[in-house]
Amino acid sequence: MEACLDFIRDHLVNTETKVIQATGGGAYKFKDLIEEKLRLKVDKEDVMTCLIKGCNFVLKNIPHEAFMYQKDSDPEFRFQTNHPNIFPYLLVNIGSGVSIVKVETEDRFEWIGGSSIGGGTFWGLGALLTKTKKFDELLQLASKGRHANVDMLVQDIYGGAHQTLGLSGNLIASSFGKSATADREFSKEDMAKSLLHMISNDIGQLACLYARLHGLDRVYFGGFFIRGHPVTMRTITYSINFFSKGEVQALFLRHEGYLGAIGAFLKGAEQDSPNQYSWGENYAASSGLMSTSPELCPTQRARSGTFDLLEMDRLERPLVNLPLLLDPSSYVPDTVDLTDDALARQYWLTCFEEALDGVVKRAVASQPESVDAAERAEKFRQKYWSKLQTLRHQPFAYGTLTVRSLLDTREHCLNEFNFPDPYSKVKQKENGLALKCFQSVTRSLDSLGWEERQLALVKGLLAGNVFDWGAKAVSDVLESDPQFGFEEAKRKLQERPWLVDSYTKWLQRLKGPPHKCALIFADNSGIDIILGVFPFVRELLFRGTEVILACNSGPALNDVTYSESLIVAEHIAAMDPIICSALREDRLLLVQTGSSSPCLDLSRLDKGLAVLVRERGADLVVIEGMGRAIHTNYHASLCCESLKLAVVKNAWLAERLGGQLFSVIFKYEAPAE
């Protein structure tokens, strides 16, 4: 404890800190020592309040915080998406003893029971039985043991007749039952395993009984007893399933050991109103869930807990669901779960490894005046490379692994080494070039007949979407051929019929009444937004449809940001009367998404955008680009019409979807009547 406090004093205490919040028994036991060492006042916070605050916080703010554990399935971990309504639930906190709390709302909870047989019992009895004093060594022993050597099973009592009872022969009839009659020594490993089973089964049954008594079907297990240990999670899960006949769900938490500490932090931050903000896990600074097979990754040091570090980013604006989601509780942004799909996982991890040199080069080039850019870029390379290696061995380290989480981790690592926008210069240059062509593109469109123009507008949107520096096939072309432009991109596109082609259905819809308001999620800077998106926006405005154009709040790859879109729109308005009057009359509104990702999570959007969508009665959603319409939201169900369109700029993905490089996805969907 003293060494820990010395570390905090030397590295973490700043001059503004006057008070430190602490909870648990140690807040009382070590209060004087903490105050003396840190020269700070200690505020002791209520344990149960902190515990629930911390649990509510992680369930609401950390994607894929909770998971089910299924030992014999692949993958073993099944992560839950952030459910919009987390209440009510049962929290079983396993520390020295067991506390059982029913949580009904943000601040209404009730301690309904507990047990003195918990983590301390396992440690204490384990120490007596095995002479092993360290908790983690006990868990290690248990993982190597065979409990059936010590426990009396149903088949030991009934032999083959157990089937007539409708019971499994492997069911434990009596923990440690064989030790009473056997005249031999038992191994430490077997005794530790038997003890772990006994206590975990007991906790599981107790949790199940309380859940049934209070009509709850979700039980979260917290505390620092579990530590992501497979045997413990498996036994508790088995116990809950067995006693509830599958009606109660056992859920574990990635950050289970830190609920009280997070709650105490939030209590201290109350004057900053932490609930007014949304938070996101920073993948660059957080270590992941440990591997169940440490031998797979010998380079990683042995860890006792599920993870070592959690870092959260406070986002400046609250994030909420898109009001147009058909069912927010079942919405999953990502199209492919790489934790589940081994072939896709190997491909994408290799793809991100191979792209790393290019990203490093781009990062250095973006800061020519900086003397330490190369050094920082090298640190970025090492950090991201090591994250990719962790994910090769532990794909579940940060929850469900997806292309989105790989992209987001890369952005977080770039930010950590102060490369917030490596593509800023590229974007400025491309915006300048595209703006020069805007009027000739619109003149050419205006000269076409109505039906011809609609197809040309869609082809323009698709051709614009080719200009994506995040796709290796494209960046290779753009690096080698600086003359590659809008017309060349149109020629690259797949001829109709496209890979997914509901264009005819879209054209028919356009012959009907205009939409009231279209929400468009834009993708890239340059040709994409200026020559692809804006002419499409202009046509919608001309039809009498209002447009909300949503762009990223912060930079990612060469995606257009909200602040860049304002500058682009101003330039276009100076050239085009339709755009100019629409901006002036608030029929064209530019907004930020609240995201800084190349992908799109419709359950975490800027609150201001959600309010606007409701106010304007948006009845069409347009999502463009591979990251937003293929890697995410390909299967998203909305309660209004939607267009999802992208050019597939990755040969492997194109082949998997049944097409070739530069295949086209044009997906028009209308909700069922």
Side-chain angles (χ1 to χ4, degrees):
M1 189 66 187
E2 292 213 18
C4 171
L5 290 170
D6 288 341
F7 177 85
I8 292 170
R9 183 193 60 211
D10 296 342
H11 297 280
L12 300 173
V13 178
N14 63 40
T15 49
E16 288 123 57
T17 312
K18 300 285 182 279
V19 180
I20 190 169
Q21 268 66 28
T23 191
Y28 293 84
K29 189 174 176 182
F30 298 113
K31 178 179 183 290
D32 294 342
L33 181 65
I34 296 169
E35 289 188 336
E36 178 198 330
K37 282 260 185 194
L38 303 185
R39 303 257 183 267
L40 297 170
K41 181 176 177 290
V42 170
D43 269 0
K44 301 187 292 291
E45 300 293 350
D46 176 68
V47 175
M48 209 54 73
T49 307
C50 289
L51 188 67
I52 304 308
K53 240 185 184 350
C55 192
N56 289 342
F57 178 84
V58 297
L59 288 176
K60 284 196 312 187
N61 288 289
I62 304 183
H64 306 143
E65 171 62 29
F67 61 91
M68 289 187 294
Y69 184 77
Q70 296 159 313
K71 174 71 180 102
D72 299 316
S73 69
D74 183 23
E76 296 163 49
F77 297 84
R78 290 274 170 200
F79 291 92
Q80 307 283 293
T81 48
N82 281 56
H83 198 286
N85 185 14
I86 60 172
F87 307 110
Y89 65 85
L90 198 68
L91 175 63
V92 177
N93 197 56
I94 314 168
S96 305
V98 180
S99 293
I100 299 177
V101 189
K102 178 169 77 168
V103 185
E104 293 181 273
T105 66
E106 198 65 57
D107 43 23
R108 196 167 82 235
F109 56 88
E110 182 189 357
W111 184 87
I112 54 173
S115 169
S116 61
I117 299 170
T121 318
F122 173 66
W123 198 355
L125 273 177
L128 290 171
L129 287 167
T130 67
K131 303 291 180 275
T132 301
K133 290 290 184 191
K134 290 186 177 163
F135 190 86
D136 295 313
E137 282 177 19
L138 262 178
L139 283 174
Q140 202 59 35
L141 286 174
S143 67
K144 295 174 188 163
R146 293 174 64 85
H147 75 97
N149 292 337
V150 183
D151 294 340
M152 191 175 287
L153 308 181
V154 167
Q155 67 194 18
D156 296 324
I157 301 173
Y158 290 94
H162 66 82
Q163 285 162 338
T164 59
L165 300 167
L167 291 173
S168 160
N170 293 322
L171 203 64
I172 299 170
S174 172
S175 294
F176 288 93
K178 285 179 183 164
S179 57
T181 53
D183 189 24
R184 62 185 177 85
E185 289 286 314
F186 293 98
S187 77
K188 290 178 178 183
E189 288 82 358
D190 293 349
M191 288 191 290
K193 183 69 160 278
S194 173
L195 181 63
L196 188 61
H197 270 298
M198 182 178 88
I199 289 166
S200 300
N201 266 322
D202 186 57
I203 293 168
Q205 183 177 13
L206 198 61
C208 179
L209 290 169
Y210 275 108
R212 299 296 288 270
L213 189 64
H214 290 269
L216 300 169
D217 59 4
R218 273 177 301 164
V219 182
Y220 294 103
F221 289 89
F224 211 40
F225 168 65
I226 297 164
R227 307 197 185 194
H229 197 269
V231 178
T232 317
M233 294 191 293
R234 186 186 187 183
T235 312
I236 288 174
T237 302
Y238 177 83
S239 178
I240 291 253
N241 284 342
F242 180 80
F243 289 112
S244 78
K245 297 184 171 58
E247 287 175 20
V248 177
Q249 215 177 31
L251 291 153
F252 303 94
L253 301 166
R254 286 202 288 136
H255 305 104
E256 39 130 32
Y258 297 83
L259 303 182
I262 291 168
F265 167 76
L266 292 168
K267 284 285 284 178
E270 272 174 351
Q271 64 272 27
D272 290 338
S273 308
N275 283 337
Q276 285 180 7
Y277 298 95
S278 288
W279 303 72
E281 182 173 5
N282 188 312
Y283 296 125
S286 297
S287 52
L289 203 60
M290 68 186 279
S291 169
T292 56
S293 316
E295 67 278 3
L296 286 179
C297 192
T299 54
Q300 186 140 358
R301 65 185 180 78
R303 295 207 225 134
S304 61
T306 45
F307 82 114
D308 299 319
L309 295 167
L310 166 65
E311 184 167 304
M312 300 290 287
D313 291 332
R314 190 183 79 179
L315 311 171
E316 285 315 306
R317 296 158 75 94
L319 302 181
V320 296
N321 282 314
L322 176 68
L324 301 170
L325 279 174
L326 190 61
D327 177 16
S329 63
S330 65
Y331 169 70
V332 176
D334 305 288
T335 309
V336 179
D337 176 351
L338 303 181
T339 332
D340 212 354
D341 188 332
L343 199 68
R345 179 170 74 242
Q346 296 313 322
Y347 170 76
W348 285 110
L349 284 167
T350 303
C351 187
F352 278 89
E353 282 172 3
E354 287 173 353
L356 194 48
D357 282 349
V359 180
V360 169
K361 201 170 113 188
R362 172 74 47 208
V364 176
S366 73
Q367 298 182 0
E369 297 85 28
S370 169
V371 291
D372 65 343
E375 186 189 331
R376 282 184 288 113
E378 189 49 44
K379 284 181 180 169
F380 152 73
R381 179 209 301 275
Q382 288 164 11
K383 180 78 171 248
Y384 189 56
W385 176 265
S386 102
K387 291 276 174 194
L388 292 173
Q389 302 326 301
T390 297
L391 291 165
R392 274 202 186 275
H393 298 293
Q394 297 157 224
F396 47 78
Y398 300 96
T400 302
L401 182 65
T402 61
V403 174
R404 174 169 65 107
S405 66
L406 287 169
L407 284 162
D408 289 353
T409 304
R410 188 166 73 184
E411 292 302 319
H412 289 172
C413 290
L414 280 165
N415 274 313
E416 183 169 330
F417 296 104
N418 201 21
F419 293 107
D421 195 0
Y423 287 85
S424 57
K425 289 189 165 53
V426 173
K427 289 189 285 185
Q428 283 169 17
K429 183 181 168 194
E430 290 185 352
N431 284 346
L433 291 170
L435 283 165
K436 286 178 185 163
C437 307
F438 179 78
Q439 282 175 300
S440 66
V441 167
T442 53
R443 272 198 300 270
S444 148
L445 286 164
D446 291 345
S447 70
L448 301 172
W450 183 84
E451 202 155 309
E452 236 187 320
R453 185 165 75 247
Q454 303 317 309
L455 183 59
L457 281 161
V458 164
K459 282 188 173 174
L461 257 179
L462 293 163
N465 194 242
V466 168
F467 292 85
D468 182 355
W469 283 88
K472 193 172 186 309
V474 175
S475 59
D476 287 351
V477 170
L478 297 176
E479 295 270 15
S480 60
D481 181 6
Q483 300 309 308
F484 185 85
F486 194 42
E487 295 307 316
E488 286 78 7
K490 284 182 193 169
R491 289 195 284 275
K492 283 268 185 199
L493 295 178
Q494 174 191 13
E495 291 293 323
R496 287 193 68 200
W498 295 320
L499 184 58
V500 174
D501 192 335
S502 41
Y503 175 73
T504 307
K505 210 168 125 191
W506 168 246
L507 190 66
Q508 278 307 111
R509 170 61 190 87
L510 288 179
K511 289 174 181 172
H515 295 90
K516 186 174 189 307
C517 175
L519 166 62
I520 300 178
F521 290 99
D523 189 2
N524 306 301
S525 266
I527 289 176
D528 193 356
I529 190 161
I530 294 165
L531 305 185
V533 174
F534 263 101
F536 186 78
V537 166
R538 184 174 172 268
E539 182 76 9
L540 286 172
L541 292 166
F542 183 69
R543 277 173 63 80
T545 301
E546 292 183 344
V547 176
I548 301 169
L549 184 59
C551 301
N552 269 8
S553 297
L557 295 171
N558 65 315
D559 292 4
V560 62
T561 63
Y562 167 67
S563 56
E564 289 159 2
S565 73
L566 295 176
I567 298 165
V568 164
E570 196 182 321
H571 282 294
I572 290 175
M575 297 184 260
D576 190 278
I578 296 174
I579 299 291
C580 183
S581 65
L583 282 169
R584 197 175 54 241
E585 294 158 16
D586 279 349
R587 288 182 296 111
L588 170 58
L589 299 147
L590 273 56
V591 292
Q592 52 184 311
T593 60
S595 166
S596 301
S597 168
C599 295
L600 180 64
D601 181 349
L602 297 175
S603 68
R604 286 171 69 81
L605 288 179
D606 187 272
K607 195 175 180 179
L609 168 58
V611 169
L612 204 54
V613 163
R614 272 203 194 90
E615 283 176 356
R616 296 292 171 117
D619 54 356
L620 170 66
V621 175
V622 181
I623 306 175
E624 64 133 358
M626 252 173 60
R628 290 163 180 77
I630 298 180
H631 295 317
T632 52
N633 300 304
Y634 190 71
H635 301 303
S637 298
L638 302 172
C639 55
C640 69
E641 292 172 59
S642 65
L643 269 183
K644 296 166 187 174
L645 48 113
V647 177
V648 187
K649 294 154 291 201
N650 176 287
W652 181 87
L653 181 61
E655 193 179 321
R656 197 169 226 226
L657 292 169
Q660 297 173 321
L661 197 62
F662 300 111
S663 286
V664 167
I665 303 286
F666 186 91
K667 199 177 184 188
Y668 167 65
E669 292 169 310
E673 289 300 323

